Amino acid sequence: MKARVIVTLKNGVLDPQGQAIEGSLASLGFGGVHGVRQGKVFDLDIEGTDVEAARSQITAMCEKLLANTVIENFAIEISN
Amino acid sequence: MKARVIVTLKNGVLDPQGQAIEGSLASLGFGGVHGVRQGKVFDLDIEGTDVEAARSQITAMCEKLLANTVIENFAIEISN
C-alpha cells in the first residue's frame, strides 16, 4: 500500500521559512499571496493489505519520528 | 482561496533524507516500510476567485521559486 503523510505546523506556531518564501514571492512580482506556511510530506510503501492496521502503524511513526506533535499536525492518506 | 502545493522528488532522483528516515523507522521497530521519499508542502492564501487564474499563477510560482523542476515534480490543489 502507498501512504502519504503531510506534516504541517499548528496554527499559531511561527513559520519564518514560510514568511521568507512569502517575501520572495512578493519580490518576484507575485502579489496577493498571504499566509504561506511550509510543511513536509512523506511518501512511503507499507507492506500488508489492512488499511486500518497501516493507519495505526503510521500514526505511531508520526508520533515517534515523523512529526513533532507539540508544534505540528499530521494527516495520513492511504491508497491501495 | 486556499491552495496547497506538494513538491516531490522525481522518480530516479536519489533521496538520502528519505533513506535516513527509512533506516530510523526500521531501528525504531517499524518494519515493512519501504521507498520512503520526503517532499515539501506549501499552504498559501491567494487573492481572487478565479480558480484557473490562481492555478496558472501558482504554476509560475512553482517554476520560479517553489520547485526545482529539474529534479522535482509539483502538484497544486485549490479549494475555495
Side-chain angles (χ1 to χ4, degrees):
Chain A
M1 273 181 300
K2 292 200 174 293
R4 168 164 280 180
V5 177
I6 294 180
V7 177
T8 51
L9 283 172
K10 289 185 179 177
N11 287 335
V13 178
L14 281 179
D15 183 3
Q17 198 169 6
Q19 289 170 353
I21 293 164
E22 193 171 320
S24 297
L25 286 171
S27 68
L28 284 170
F30 296 107
V33 180
H34 306 289
V36 178
R37 309 275 285 172
Q38 182 169 2
K40 288 172 280 187
V41 57
F42 303 96
D43 288 321
L44 44 91
D45 296 326
I46 191 159
E47 286 175 6
T49 54
D50 183 341
V51 172
E52 284 314 307
R55 187 176 295 276
S56 74
Q57 191 182 11
I58 295 169
T59 301
M61 288 180 207
C62 288
E63 288 167 349
K64 284 200 178 167
L65 182 72
L66 301 180
N68 176 353
T69 56
V70 177
I71 56 167
E72 291 172 329
N73 293 318
F74 60 87
I76 299 167
E77 299 165 7
I78 295 177
S79 57
N80 285 306
Chain B
M1 273 180 300
K2 292 201 174 293
R4 168 164 280 181
V5 177
I6 294 180
V7 177
T8 50
L9 284 172
K10 289 185 179 178
N11 287 335
V13 177
L14 280 178
D15 183 2
Q17 198 168 6
Q19 289 170 353
I21 293 164
E22 193 171 320
S24 297
L25 286 171
S27 68
L28 284 170
F30 295 108
V33 181
H34 306 289
V36 178
R37 309 275 285 172
Q38 182 169 0
K40 287 172 281 188
V41 58
F42 303 96
D43 288 321
L44 44 92
D45 295 327
I46 191 159
E47 285 175 7
T49 54
D50 183 341
V51 172
E52 283 314 307
R55 187 177 295 278
S56 74
Q57 191 182 11
I58 295 169
T59 301
M61 288 180 207
C62 288
E63 288 166 349
K64 284 200 178 166
L65 183 72
L66 300 180
N68 176 353
T69 55
V70 177
I71 57 167
E72 291 173 329
N73 293 318
F74 60 88
I76 300 167
E77 300 164 9
I78 296 177
S79 58
N80 285 306

